[in-house]
Amino acid sequence: MSTVSQLQSITLHVNGQSYMVEVEPRWLLSDVLRHQLGLTGTHVGCEQGVCGACTVLIDGQPQRSCLLFAVQADGAEIKTIEGFSSNDSLTDVQQAFQDRHALQCGYCTPAMVVTTEALLERNPNPTEDEIREALSGNLCRCTGYQFIVEAVKDAAERRRRG
Ligand code: FES
Ligand code: FES
């Protein structure tokens, strides 16, 4: 039996740019970001909503891009890790992660940074419990989390200092 692909035209607003893309309705947003738009900073781990590696901001909220079809994001404002710095320099959050040794293999890190950005946007001075709660959907196999929590505290402090 042959399958007929049905491409659908959608517009994704990603990191301030608009992209018209042709997608099949079954294609995941994570795959379209990576393979159609070349935004490979969004990582894919479990592809079933567990690890959080694919987290991006959709209309300002962290969401797992592996749990959304790209067609569901038609017209939405999406921000990926690539959208947080406008040049090659690190953001304050990224610098805090580096300075606090909050990464090892780095696979979880883009999503950790994206989730941290969303947290600091809504809560510039989070407690440790609030940080752990915010990051509870982002799994890291390497660090044991303590350094990540320290990095988020550090980033919050840097941002409050300006
Ligand atoms: S790849 Fe999306 S949650 Fe794991
Ligand atoms: S640094 Fe390796 S999974 Fe988090």
Side-chain angles (χ1 to χ4, degrees):
M1 187 170 66
S2 66
T3 55
V4 179
S5 80
Q6 295 177 316
L7 291 177
Q8 193 169 323
S9 184
I10 62 171
T11 303
L12 299 178
H13 306 290
V14 187
N15 303 332
Q17 287 191 52
S18 296
Y19 301 88
M20 275 191 65
V21 284
E22 302 275 315
V23 299
E24 289 190 27
R26 66 187 175 88
W27 289 356
L28 300 176
L29 178 60
S30 50
D31 289 335
V32 170
L33 290 172
R34 290 174 54 82
H35 304 307
Q36 310 290 112
L37 304 188
L39 297 170
T40 54
T42 298
H43 289 168
V44 170
C46 65
E47 288 198 292
Q48 52 185 325
V50 175
C51 73
C54 62
T55 303
V56 299
L57 299 188
I58 300 185
D59 295 329
Q61 298 300 318
Q63 296 210 32
R64 287 148 159 64
S65 57
C66 77
L67 291 185
L68 284 172
F69 296 115
V71 291
Q72 292 176 286
D74 188 11
E77 291 291 337
I78 301 167
K79 196 161 182 181
T80 69
I81 186 65
E82 289 89 349
F84 285 95
S85 62
S86 53
N87 50 39
D88 285 342
S89 62
L90 299 179
T91 66
D92 49 3
V93 174
Q94 290 169 326
Q95 191 65 58
F97 269 65
Q98 177 173 302
D99 293 349
R100 296 288 178 159
H101 309 291
L103 62 147
Q104 289 179 34
C105 79
Y107 202 81
C108 70
T109 309
M112 289 284 184
V113 170
V114 168
T115 304
T116 299
E117 290 281 0
L119 169 66
L120 298 185
E121 181 68 27
R122 68 175 187 277
N123 181 358
N125 191 13
T127 64
E128 178 160 337
D129 282 351
E130 289 169 336
I131 293 169
R132 289 184 181 276
E133 171 67 24
L135 294 176
S136 60
N138 292 72
L139 302 186
C140 176
R141 296 191 305 176
C142 305
T143 65
Y145 299 100
Q146 188 58 41
F147 289 167
I148 293 175
V149 172
E150 296 299 327
V152 176
K153 282 187 206 166
D154 186 0
E157 197 177 321
R158 289 172 198 231
R159 195 160 288 186
R160 287 197 304 276
R161 284 201 314 260

